[in-house]
Amino acid sequence: MMRAMSVSTQAQPLSPGLRATLLRRLRRLLPADAVLAREEELRPYECDALSAYRRLPGVVVLPRNADEVRAVLCLCRELQVPVVARGAGTGLAGGALPRPDGVLLSLARLDRILRLDPDNRIAVVQPGVRNLAVSEAAAAHGLFYAPDPSSQVACTIGGNVAENAGGVHCLKYGLTVHNVLGLKMITVDGEMLELGGVHGAPDGPGLDLTALAVGSEGMLGVVVEATLRLLPAPPAARVALAAFDDIATAGAAVGRIIGAGIVPAGLEMMDNAALRAAEDFVHAGYPRDAAAILLCEVDGEAAEAEAQTERVCALLREAGATEVRVARDEAERRRFWQGRKAAFPAVGRISPDYYCMDGTIPRHRLPQVLEGIARLAREHGLPVANVFHAGDGNLHPLILYDAARPGELERTERLGAKILELCVAAGGTITGEHGVGMEKIDQMCVQFGTAELQRFHDVKAAFDPAGLLNPGKAVPTLHRCAELGAMHVHGGRLPFPELERF
Amino acid sequence: MDGADLTDSLRETVRAAGRGGTPLCLRGGGTKSFYGRVPAGEVLDLSRNRGIVRYQPTELVITARAGTPLAEVAAALAEHGQMLGFEPPAFGEDATLGGTIACGLSGPRRPFAGAARDAVLGLRCLDGTGEVLRLGGEVMKNVAGYDVSRLMTGALGTLGILLEVSLKVLPRPQTELTLILEEPDPQRALERMAGWQRQPLPLSGLAWSSGRLWVRLEGTAEGVAAARARLGGDEPADGPAFWRGLRDHRLAFFSDDRPLWRLAVPPAAPFIRLPETQPGDWLLDWGGAQRWLRSGLPPATVRAAATAAGGHATLFRGGDRGGEVFHPPSPAVLALHQRLKAVFDPGGIFNPGRLYPGV
Ligand SMILES: Cc1cc2nc3c(=O)[nH]c(=O)nc-3n(C[C@H](O)[C@H](O)[C@H](O)COP(=O)(O)OP(=O)(O)OC[C@H]3O[C@@H](n4cnc5c(N)ncnc54)[C@H](O)[C@@H]3O)c2cc1C
């Protein structure tokens, strides 16, 4: 088993007296099978998909509806017990990491699609509904839900909202924030907030609290219902696969496609290590000897997709692709994408452990940042496989390591931190879609200055004055940043002076 | 490009206003002074803090100071075959980028290409204590920290002075085509618009006015041709003029003395029947989701109708600007507005009361 990474805010377990009171009161509010307290019942909730961070929750509750969620929150507020919301636990930043002194609130049983309205093109869903289930239900009406994280079979809409999840089709169709019209969210005070267009209106009155709630990592309230925008499914989609013998050339090809005024439905890149792993895993038909491949999908009317595909292929060849192949049929298209969507688990097969990063950079910095990552990887003596949402400049370097080898985990964390700092120095950000959670809390000190961090704490306090929801995540204390001595690297001044900014 | 970064002097002004407890009325081009509740305070002109800071067409991102005229931004983008996807209304030549983002208004393309808030990637602003905050960034995907940039979009300057805004831009479509179809019945018009929106058509505008449906198609030549064949209808002499007129409220419909209401409702909500109101008093935009109404009816009547339809109503222009212009939120949500105001503008000096009392 993996050893734990340095989980920094160590919290003491609930005192036996408080735990007994909490359990007794919870059992009055919820059915017997909805309150878990024995160690073997708690174990499955000790981590999310960032499994290097683990700790047992004090108690796990599994409410079935919004009223039960509200009752749990009110009790926790009364007893001043921290609450961590959890969807499917596929998060990669430790956002759903529980607390030994708190309640883990699973939304898994709120799993109903409440309404599917094809004329208004909306789905109203409970937070525990799986991402893919929305598109599956909408397919009967020729509609789909656009954000498609690679984890879409498992991850929940509540988790997607909390992380502002993206997917391979976000370049054209937007992230979660662009596809959520409204939310019902319960604050820790038990107040039910209706935000935005919960009935399908394009906006709500006043401040855009929907946008603030999306991506708030379970810090401001618990989402109990989401109104999602559905789109008509395009009649045709074509995907081209281009091979390159040099990764920087592949990076430059991305800019060429975008610069030509094409908005692909998806534009993804994998380097040799990642594409080999994927090929060995799902036999997608990738060229195993390419230094990098690009997958570029266009969609629309049949004639339109055809014409766009031709343009894309021509651009890819001009950009120096050694081979360009268009998926001949739907089955091949699915295989091409399956390889990409299975990239993380595929890398998981070739290395005892891997650590997934999530920086975003301006697209034109891609070649330089890739070189920088390769150099850092060499310096740290750890291999890195790269998978990117290239169209949006969102990088997922996967650091391959073996936690059983002494010191390797620490080296991995150091390399990861350096890679994120490199992204900030290149004018980018430490997280494009996975969230800060517990994992990137220190890098927040690099991304933001004191004034911004202080306002973030104030925003949190405006919703949750006692700081009971997911405490210690997403925003570092100013004290912590000062202690780390982390340099706020705004404008690329530090710590990569060789990277000139624009 | 002419421009100046006035961050330092604006910061001094804000600090002085904070010390003296002087409310400031933030003004960009002033073209939207009619919007929102009655402005109060000493006018602070933000139009000289202007100029495009960065624009790299292949990044699909532009960063400009908030006082930059919208027209200047549009011209720079047009030079590279790009545009602001949300098609912001200008309401006059002096409209600034800051005023546009502070109002959060979007034009006819909004249901198909996203709203102003969808295009905002990041911004620099001055909060009420004179502190410069840098939020979001210049990249497409960024989930570090709360999304305060989008919170400030549409906040009418009540949370801070926008200094610099970074927006996602879009390539201009290859082809644009407008069609008109006769449809005297507004309910039937809504149903036809809903039907089209369920199909994968390259729509970029969908409106009904005075017995006619207006459809704008945009995209590749192939996609537009296929859709045109499917929809039928006629091509008007000057389609773009209609959409510009709709965007900037220069169509004849908007020159009327009665108050102008904006209703945001689910697009397929049935046509709203009100007393003393004719179909011609309505203009349906955004495929039915944004409905303009000219009416002297009591605000309570209009608001109740909007609520019943599943949306909300804004007294967009005219009427009693001292009363509730925006739909009153629930007490819990209003309390949050007031607490967020206190976070970013603790002294309450920015546009006090422009959005809601106490905000
Ligand atoms: C193999 C793999 C591939 C992935 N690919 C992608 C990808 O392509 N794009 C992408 O964006 N992400 C991806 N992820 C990350 C992850 O799937 C997403 O972050 C997802 O949105 C998490 O959803 P979840 O239901 O698992 O949430 P959890 O992990 O359970 O929780 C995530 C966060 O949301 C909060 N939360 C959960 N439910 C609620 C609620 N109802 N109200 C308030 N807060 C709540 C939690 O407190 C926590 O902070 C991937 C993960 C894996 C393992």
Side-chain angles (χ1 to χ4, degrees):
Chain A
M1 204 194 73
M2 239 180 279
R3 282 169 322 131
M5 281 191 184
S6 41
V7 176
S8 28
T9 43
Q10 289 298 351
Q12 296 302 310
L14 286 165
S15 73
L18 181 53
R19 188 158 191 272
T21 311
L22 182 63
L23 283 172
R24 181 167 39 81
R25 300 273 309 266
L26 283 170
R27 288 190 172 122
R28 246 188 266 151
L29 299 172
L30 303 174
D33 73 341
V35 183
L36 311 181
R38 291 200 312 274
E39 183 175 335
E40 68 272 22
E41 294 174 322
L42 301 178
R43 190 61 68 193
Y45 298 92
E46 69 180 346
C47 65
D48 60 12
L50 181 65
S51 58
Y53 290 11
R54 294 166 191 263
R55 51 193 186 195
L56 279 183
V59 182
V60 173
V61 294
L62 295 145
R64 292 162 306 178
N65 54 49
D67 286 338
E68 290 183 357
V69 171
R70 189 208 308 255
V72 169
L73 289 171
C74 289
L75 177 63
C76 288
R77 198 197 53 157
E78 183 194 324
L79 301 178
Q80 293 288 298
V81 169
V83 184
V84 177
R86 178 184 171 106
T90 69
L92 288 165
L97 180 75
R99 293 179 63 100
D101 61 344
V103 169
L104 185 94
L105 174 63
S106 166
L107 283 307
R109 289 185 182 171
L110 280 79
D111 63 352
R112 282 186 309 133
I113 296 178
L114 300 173
R115 185 175 149 214
L116 220 132
D117 177 347
D119 280 327
N120 284 306
R121 286 159 287 115
I122 54 170
V124 181
V125 307
Q126 292 187 323
V129 169
R130 288 173 307 113
N131 172 290
L132 188 60
V134 180
S135 283
E136 284 173 349
H141 305 283
L143 302 170
F144 76 113
Y145 177 60
D148 58 343
S150 303
S151 51
Q152 70 186 139
V153 183
C155 66
T156 67
I157 293 298
N160 291 172
V161 168
E163 302 292 14
N164 189 15
V168 297
H169 289 95
C170 285
L171 182 56
K172 180 166 179 181
Y173 297 110
L175 306 164
T176 301
V177 70
H178 303 114
N179 291 283
V180 170
L181 290 171
L183 292 172
K184 288 189 187 169
M185 188 164 96
I186 305 183
T187 65
V188 72
D189 293 334
E191 202 76 72
M192 171 79 89
L193 307 175
E194 286 194 10
L195 310 177
V198 289
H199 304 292
D203 44 48
L207 297 175
D208 194 341
L209 299 179
T210 316
L212 188 64
V214 174
S216 64
E217 304 200 22
M219 304 280 291
L220 305 183
V222 175
V223 173
V224 291
E225 204 176 294
T227 303
L228 309 176
R229 185 171 81 116
L230 304 175
L231 298 173
R238 307 291 309 269
V239 63
L241 183 160
F244 293 84
D245 55 15
D246 169 60
I247 194 159
T249 314
V254 171
R256 193 182 277 252
I257 291 173
I258 305 284
I262 294 173
V263 182
L267 185 52
E268 298 284 313
M269 183 164 153
M270 294 162 82
D271 74 357
N272 180 265
L275 71 91
R276 267 178 195 249
E279 181 58 24
D280 292 344
F281 186 27
V282 302
H283 311 291
Y286 296 162
R288 299 185 85 254
D289 49 355
I293 59 167
L294 278 180
L295 291 175
C296 181
E297 177 155 300
V298 294
D299 63 15
E301 287 287 334
E304 179 179 30
E306 206 54 55
Q308 290 276 77
T309 307
E310 270 170 40
R311 283 189 74 201
V312 164
C313 290
L315 286 163
L316 287 167
R317 284 196 195 92
E318 278 168 38
T322 53
E323 183 196 351
V324 181
R325 243 193 286 157
V326 178
R328 279 158 304 190
D329 50 26
E330 188 55 22
E332 190 172 25
R333 174 178 164 264
R334 278 180 193 285
R335 265 201 309 283
F336 281 3
W337 280 121
Q338 207 192 349
R340 165 61 189 87
K341 289 201 173 181
F344 296 178
V347 165
R349 291 173 65 229
I350 60 166
S351 171
D353 300 290
Y354 72 90
Y355 183 35
C356 174
M357 316 305 300
D358 177 42
T360 305
I361 54 164
R363 269 182 294 259
H364 72 281
R365 305 307 293 265
L366 209 57
Q368 273 166 292
V369 170
L370 289 177
E371 267 168 44
I373 292 175
R375 180 173 44 75
L376 289 169
R378 273 194 309 276
E379 282 169 20
H380 288 75
L382 290 165
V384 173
N386 283 294
V387 181
F388 321 118
H389 303 296
D392 338 89
N394 185 196
L395 318 178
H396 292 318
L398 303 167
I399 306 174
L400 313 187
Y401 72 102
D402 182 353
R405 279 195 220 127
E408 207 158 293
L409 182 59
E410 292 69 23
R411 229 172 338 125
T412 300
E413 282 192 282
R414 279 200 301 278
L415 172 56
K418 284 278 176 225
I419 291 175
L420 295 185
E421 285 164 25
L422 177 65
C423 292
V424 177
T429 170
I430 57 171
T431 174
E433 59 181 15
H434 295 166
V436 173
M438 199 68 244
E439 178 209 13
K440 291 181 269 290
I441 196 109
D442 290 343
Q443 281 72 45
M444 283 292 281
C445 311
V446 177
Q447 176 109 37
F448 292 103
T450 312
E452 289 87 3
L453 293 174
Q454 185 57 55
R455 290 310 170 279
F456 291 154
H457 285 298
D458 297 343
V459 167
K460 159 91 173 153
F463 284 81
D464 173 19
L468 292 175
L469 286 177
N470 221 358
K473 310 263 181 75
V475 187
T477 60
L478 301 179
H479 177 71
R480 183 180 177 96
C481 290
E483 241 181 15
L484 279 165
M487 210 67 82
H488 168 51
V489 281
H490 194 71
R493 279 185 297 274
L494 280 165
F496 295 91
E498 75 277 14
L499 262 184
E500 145 229 6
R501 199 161 169 236
F502 278 94
Chain B
M1 235 164 299
D2 56 336
D5 180 356
L6 302 187
T7 303
D8 291 338
S9 79
L10 288 171
R11 186 200 284 126
E12 283 322 304
T13 309
V14 169
R15 292 208 169 133
R19 280 192 299 272
T22 321
L24 297 172
C25 172
L26 311 183
R27 175 188 285 250
T31 67
K32 297 173 193 73
S33 302
F34 63 82
Y35 187 58
R37 302 175 81 234
V38 179
E42 211 166 275
V43 171
L44 176 59
D45 175 21
L46 300 169
S47 65
R48 286 175 308 116
N49 182 51
R50 62 185 281 186
I52 292 170
V53 178
R54 256 187 302 282
Y55 172 40
Q56 271 191 332
T58 56
E59 291 296 316
L60 298 181
V61 176
I62 192 164
T63 298
R65 293 191 191 96
T68 313
L70 205 50
E72 186 179 323
V73 173
L77 294 175
E79 231 176 86
H80 294 274
Q82 298 186 338
M83 62 181 188
L84 294 176
F86 63 100
E87 210 176 3
F91 300 142
E93 311 225 315
D94 297 331
T96 63
L97 181 62
T100 300
I101 296 305
C103 289
L105 303 177
S106 307
R109 202 185 282 106
R110 185 261 178 266
F112 314 101
R117 56 89 101 168
D118 293 317
V120 171
L121 298 176
L123 47 83
R124 266 179 75 230
C125 66
L126 265 175
D127 75 5
T129 66
E131 196 82 66
V132 176
L133 306 177
R134 181 180 287 268
L135 302 154
E138 295 182 300
V139 290
M140 294 294 155
K141 292 167 86 173
N142 184 357
V143 294
Y146 301 117
D147 197 346
V148 177
S149 318
R150 290 197 169 94
L151 179 69
M152 296 234 170
T153 306
L156 279 173
T158 56
L159 300 181
I161 295 183
L162 309 183
L163 296 170
E164 212 177 280
V165 183
S166 298
L167 295 173
K168 176 182 172 163
V169 304
L170 292 179
R172 276 189 170 282
Q174 240 176 38
T175 313
E176 173 187 328
L177 179 85
T178 299
L179 296 172
I180 41 178
L181 296 92
E182 299 300 324
E183 180 51 75
D185 176 5
Q187 176 54 34
R188 194 53 209 123
L190 285 168
E191 288 162 13
R192 291 175 78 178
M193 291 196 287
W196 289 327
Q197 289 179 94
R198 288 179 58 169
Q199 299 169 42
L201 296 166
L203 297 167
S204 79
L206 199 49
W208 177 87
S209 171
S210 330
R212 288 171 137 189
L213 281 160
W214 292 76
V215 183
R216 185 172 60 182
L217 302 170
E218 270 180 3
T220 60
E222 297 83 4
V224 169
R228 199 234 171 291
R230 183 128 42 112
L231 291 175
D234 299 310
E235 287 178 45
D238 192 357
F242 171 80
W243 300 107
R244 259 197 319 275
L246 176 57
R247 184 194 69 185
D248 296 342
H249 288 186
R250 283 198 300 257
L251 299 178
F253 172 88
F254 293 99
S255 47
D256 187 293
D257 292 338
R258 287 172 294 172
L260 177 68
W261 286 89
R262 170 188 186 264
L263 282 76
V265 294
F271 181 65
I272 297 168
R273 315 253 171 211
L274 290 169
E276 301 156 39
T277 307
Q278 309 304 316
D281 295 330
W282 290 92
L283 189 154
L284 312 176
D285 192 8
W286 292 5
Q290 175 171 261
R291 305 184 186 181
W292 298 102
L293 168 68
R294 298 174 312 191
S295 169
L297 285 171
T301 308
V302 180
R303 290 199 198 286
T307 307
H312 65 104
T314 304
L315 182 51
F316 198 83
R317 196 188 298 247
D320 173 14
R321 313 307 294 180
E324 288 294 4
V325 165
F326 298 99
H327 214 90
S330 70
V333 172
L334 181 61
L336 260 177
H337 277 67
Q338 287 159 347
R339 290 202 294 274
L340 287 168
K341 170 80 172 173
V343 168
F344 292 98
D345 180 17
I349 56 171
F350 293 147
N351 286 347
R354 184 90 186 244
L355 191 55
Y356 291 116
V359 183

